[in-house]
Amino acid sequence: MYDLIRAGAAVPKLKVADCKYNTEQISSLINQADDAGIKILCFPELSVSSYTCGDLFLQTALIRECENSINLIAAKSKHTDMLIAAGAPVVCDNQTFNCAVLINKGKILGIVPKTYVPNYSEFYEKRWFSPAGSLISDQTNYCGQDVPIGSDLIFKCKNIKNLSVGIEICEDLWAPIPPSSFLATNGANVILNLSASNELAAKNDYRRALAAHQSAGTISAYIYSSAGIGESTQDVVFSGHSMICENGVMLEETKRFSKENQLIYADIDLESICNDRKKNTSFMTPAYSQKQYRNIYFDISESRIETLKRPLTQTPFVPADNEKLSERCKDIFNIQVTGLSKRFVHTGSKSFVIGISGGLDSTLALLVSAKSCDFIGIDRQNIIGVTMPGFGTTDRTYNNAINLMKSLGVTIKEISIKEACLQHFKDIGHDPDVHDVTYENTQARERTQILMDIANKENAIVVGTGDLSELALGWATYNGDHMSMYGVNSGIPKTLVRVLVKHVTDSGYLDKNSNRILSDILDTPVSPELLPPTKDGKIRQKTEDIVGPYELHDFFLYYVVRFGFPPKKILFFAETVFSDIYSKEVILKWLKNFYRRFFSQQFKRSCLPDGPKVGTISLSPRGDWRMPSDAVSRIWLDELDSL
């Protein structure tokens, strides 16, 4: 369903060398996982016997009982629609190997031995186990079945196109080049790690970083299941620290040191992984993909997901964590300031010119320009802030614009555009009482002409104020506010613009008076103010009433451009996170509008001025987004019409 597969990591309560007890716990967790709709389940390293058996691994009785346990687990899961990875010692070629045994519907699919066997510090595995490279055979008889064995196995699902599973075991992850790196470039996009990683002070932080980093480096889902507190505590202690990561993001994580069985799971987005791999042309490095692997096929049905089990937020551009958000805002603001400062110095300009409306976008551009002056070491008087009252300007936005410029100490110019626009209406034969697109765009182009001419006169650069959301929707007048000499906000979506302005007010960078003005700007409805205000002087033209809520459009933008998801999937995600705010019909209405505008307005994006990329999404025609202006939206809209 939507290329999502539910995967889990299980940590059973264990008793050392008590295979019967351990098997009962494993079987219980398999049943629990089945009830939760899990399709891929990973158990810890040597979970059938326990990891800390020591020289008992040299006892025939233990090895035989482990095989019996695997056989029992397979038999019990014959009618379970799941791929299961359990850990067991396996004898082959007169050697014992620390293995992952893959089970599907009662069948032993394959056995994968540990590639790197540690023999340092508290680890002493080479006393009992041989590394995978010591194997002679590529097949063994196990549980009465002829089973492929080796570290060269990739498990591919026959009926889920994008699902391929690779296996590595504990120490393999700590190697300079983990086996999962080769597995990933040879097709595996879900990596299971059966582990028994003991606890040391702060080791969990390192382990967490290691798993997340490997999932990012391999552009994969990484399921890590580690041994719990039932292991022997003779010399070391285990906590059951298990994780599910996807492309560098931690989706789920166990609580450490639990006395009970633990099961965590998440919905892995296979489409996201595959799309990122296709986009990253460095991913399929020949040196990594020269190894030969055997494909082992299995069969599970697609996950039927009613409640999505993965982190999903209404504001994908805005981190939920306050500390991360503050750091993100600081980085973005510095990127904007550095980009604008470099362009200013390089062009030999003397001043910045900005049209100040009293709205959020021009406010952010003004704040960036003020900080750029401070950074370069010039007076803020070198910023020429131009307020250009028109037919729709309200007292609130006008006063905020004037007061903010005064508070920041910039040069203020006020030039009304009313008479110039009326003359232009007369020249082209337009009735000023007809408030159509001509009426609106005339004002936007007049303002841009004023800014450009002042820039010529003052040897200045015009700082653009339009944001990423407006570019996506084409909510800009071609050769009007669409144009500038450097667009500092071009990489910032509307939902983040508001947060950045708020960040400046909270940072202590400005005085109390400036912060007070910014607070009122933050509370002002988003509007281009191109239509006359209401009788009581309030803003008549509210952008979100016309094009739709920006929180929805930014959500759509993120999943359309960043991941290339189809409309049905984006609708499903939007329904999931906005269910308490918007109905499906409302979301569908604005999603259709997004696609219509996104396609029809590409011509504006094809000739954008320069501006800094600040996040993973940019619509610059010179960078992240290259789309023909004549592309047709039929495929996308037809899919939405079919719902």
Side-chain angles (χ1 to χ4, degrees):
M1 182 180 182
Y2 301 114
D3 249 350
L4 298 166
I5 193 77
R6 185 160 289 181
V11 184
K13 294 187 294 184
L14 298 180
K15 292 182 180 180
V16 178
D18 189 343
C19 296
K20 183 176 181 180
Y21 177 84
N22 298 343
T23 300
E24 290 172 353
Q25 301 305 311
I26 290 170
S27 297
S28 174
L29 278 165
I30 291 172
N31 292 336
Q32 188 179 336
D34 191 34
D35 290 341
I38 293 171
K39 299 297 181 181
I40 300 172
L41 185 61
C42 181
F43 285 94
E45 182 178 12
L46 296 167
S47 47
V48 167
S49 59
S50 81
Y51 175 78
T52 50
C53 288
D55 281 356
L56 295 178
F57 285 123
L58 303 175
Q59 295 286 314
T60 302
L62 180 64
I63 299 298
R64 184 176 60 238
E65 191 60 29
C66 286
E67 186 170 350
N68 290 338
S69 292
I70 291 291
N71 197 30
L72 183 61
I73 292 167
K76 285 186 174 183
S77 61
K78 184 176 182 179
H79 301 292
T80 304
D81 187 30
M82 192 183 301
L83 177 67
I84 301 163
V90 175
V91 173
C92 182
D93 298 334
N94 301 308
Q95 304 168 83
T96 305
F97 296 91
N98 179 347
C99 295
V101 181
L102 277 292
I103 302 166
N104 177 231
K105 298 180 179 178
K107 181 181 178 181
I108 310 297
L109 293 177
I111 299 171
V112 180
K114 193 172 188 173
T115 298
Y116 296 100
V117 178
N119 222 58
Y120 59 89
S121 299
E122 62 266 38
F123 303 107
Y124 203 42
E125 285 190 39
K126 285 187 177 179
R127 181 179 177 92
W128 315 295
F129 300 116
S130 298
S134 297
L135 265 174
I136 299 170
S137 304
D138 61 6
Q139 186 169 292
T140 188
N141 188 276
Y142 194 72
C143 296
Q145 303 177 38
D146 290 329
V147 180
I149 186 171
S151 59
D152 60 340
L153 305 182
I154 292 178
F155 300 86
K156 290 195 169 186
C157 187
K158 288 186 287 188
N159 58 316
I160 300 177
K161 181 181 178 181
N162 288 333
L163 178 57
S164 294
V165 180
I167 308 293
E168 63 185 12
I169 300 175
C170 199
E171 180 71 13
D172 293 346
L173 176 59
W174 269 259
I177 304 179
S180 53
S181 297
F182 296 101
L183 288 163
T185 53
N186 283 274
N189 54 12
V190 176
I191 307 296
L192 307 184
N193 186 316
L194 295 78
S195 183
S197 179
N198 63 301
E199 283 302 324
L200 302 171
K203 185 178 180 181
N204 64 300
D205 290 333
Y206 182 77
R207 188 190 299 119
R208 188 181 294 112
L210 202 61
H213 179 268
Q214 188 62 5
S215 77
T218 56
I219 312 180
S220 69
Y222 199 92
I223 321 298
Y224 182 99
S225 182
S226 190
I229 66 172
E231 296 285 351
S232 171
T233 58
Q234 183 173 349
D235 292 302
V236 291
V237 171
F238 298 82
S239 72
H241 185 201
S242 302
M243 298 164 280
I244 301 175
C245 306
E246 182 185 300
N247 200 3
V249 178
M250 185 70 66
L251 302 184
E252 284 292 334
E253 186 174 10
T254 57
K255 294 180 180 179
R256 295 183 297 145
F257 304 107
S258 172
K259 293 188 296 182
E260 303 301 325
N261 286 337
Q262 288 201 84
L263 177 66
I264 58 170
Y265 58 92
D267 294 323
I268 303 302
D269 196 327
L270 300 173
E271 183 178 14
S272 168
I273 292 168
C274 293
N275 284 356
D276 272 4
R277 287 183 173 187
K278 286 185 293 185
K279 186 187 298 183
N280 187 336
T281 55
S282 302
F283 183 75
M284 291 301 292
T285 305
Y288 280 90
S289 54
Q290 287 174 355
K291 294 185 70 172
Q292 297 298 312
Y293 286 84
R294 289 177 283 166
N295 292 327
I296 310 299
Y297 291 93
F298 67 98
D299 180 24
I300 56 174
S301 62
E302 291 186 8
S303 297
R304 304 305 301 173
I305 295 168
E306 295 180 2
T307 302
L308 194 63
K309 190 71 167 61
R310 62 182 284 113
L312 203 61
T313 173
Q314 294 176 355
T315 53
F317 292 102
V318 183
D321 180 83
N322 286 334
E323 187 174 335
K324 288 182 180 178
L325 178 59
S326 178
E327 194 63 30
R328 179 81 56 87
C329 289
K330 189 184 302 181
D331 280 348
I332 291 172
F333 199 62
N334 284 335
I335 291 169
Q336 290 179 284
V337 168
T338 302
L340 181 59
S341 299
K342 165 67 178 179
R343 180 56 53 93
F344 182 84
V345 173
H346 177 75
T347 56
S349 300
K350 302 300 181 185
S351 302
F352 300 99
V353 174
I354 314 175
I356 306 300
S357 67
L360 279 172
D361 289 343
S362 65
T363 294
L364 179 58
L366 178 58
L367 294 172
V368 171
S369 300
K371 186 69 172 179
S372 295
C373 286
D374 300 344
F375 181 74
I376 297 167
I378 60 176
D379 196 285
R380 291 182 187 174
Q381 286 286 324
N382 288 284
I383 299 171
I384 302 172
V386 188
T387 180
M388 295 167 281
F391 304 120
T393 303
T394 60
D395 290 344
R396 181 179 186 181
T397 54
Y398 171 79
N399 289 328
N400 279 339
I402 294 294
N403 292 335
L404 183 61
M405 287 190 285
K406 286 180 179 178
S407 184
L408 292 176
V410 308
T411 299
I412 301 172
K413 282 187 179 294
E414 180 175 336
I415 302 173
S416 173
I417 64 169
K418 293 178 182 178
E419 292 303 319
C421 288
L422 288 172
Q423 179 62 49
H424 188 62
F425 292 152
K426 182 179 179 181
D427 292 342
I428 65 173
H430 180 76
D431 183 350
D433 291 328
V434 177
H435 298 164
D436 59 5
V437 67
T438 302
Y439 180 87
E440 294 183 25
N441 286 351
T442 293
Q443 297 173 71
R445 291 194 180 101
E446 178 61 27
R447 284 173 172 148
T448 300
Q449 176 178 283
I450 290 170
L451 297 176
M452 291 291 183
D453 290 345
I454 292 175
N456 290 158
K457 181 174 179 291
E458 302 291 342
N459 188 17
I461 62 172
V462 175
V463 180
T465 61
D467 62 54
L468 182 65
S469 306
E470 293 177 342
L471 294 174
L473 296 168
W475 191 249
T477 298
Y478 193 78
N479 208 32
D481 52 313
H482 160 258
M483 192 49 60
S484 68
M485 295 169 183
Y486 197 74
V488 292
N489 296 339
S490 60
I492 303 172
K494 187 73 77 176
T495 49
L496 190 55
V497 170
R498 181 177 298 278
V499 173
L500 280 166
V501 173
K502 179 69 165 59
H503 166 75
V504 174
T505 66
D506 295 339
S507 66
Y509 170 56
L510 301 175
D511 58 60
K512 289 183 178 180
N513 184 54
S514 297
N515 285 340
R516 181 188 57 76
I517 300 165
L518 289 177
S519 294
D520 192 62
I521 291 172
L522 284 165
D523 290 336
T524 304
V526 177
S527 172
E529 292 195 323
L530 297 174
L531 295 180
T534 61
K535 291 180 179 179
D536 57 355
K538 299 290 179 63
I539 293 172
R540 179 188 299 275
Q541 186 184 24
K542 296 180 181 178
T543 299
E544 292 179 291
D545 291 344
I546 302 167
V547 298
Y550 273 119
E551 61 180 349
L552 282 179
H553 286 310
D554 284 357
F555 186 90
F556 302 153
L557 172 64
Y558 183 75
Y559 288 104
V560 168
V561 175
R562 171 66 181 84
F563 295 109
F565 287 164
K568 285 182 181 179
K569 186 169 182 176
I570 296 172
L571 178 62
F572 171 65
F573 279 9
E575 281 186 89
T576 300
V577 296
F578 288 107
S579 60
D580 58 337
I581 304 175
Y582 304 107
S583 67
K584 178 181 179 179
E585 290 72 26
V586 170
I587 296 171
L588 184 58
K589 169 189 172 182
W590 294 122
L591 183 54
K592 287 180 179 179
N593 191 52
F594 177 87
Y595 276 110
R596 277 194 291 265
R597 295 193 66 98
F598 189 77
F599 274 80
S600 68
Q601 301 296 298
Q602 172 61 26
F603 73 98
K604 295 179 182 177
R605 298 190 292 269
S606 292
C607 54
L608 285 177
D610 292 349
K613 178 179 179 179
V614 302
T616 56
I617 294 177
S618 167
L619 293 177
S620 168
R622 296 167 295 278
D624 290 44
W625 191 252
R626 305 180 192 196
M627 169 184 169
S629 299
D630 307 315
V632 178
S633 59
R634 174 177 292 181
I635 292 172
W636 293 264
L637 292 177
D638 281 355
E639 182 172 314
L640 289 173
D641 286 338
S642 69
L643 298 178

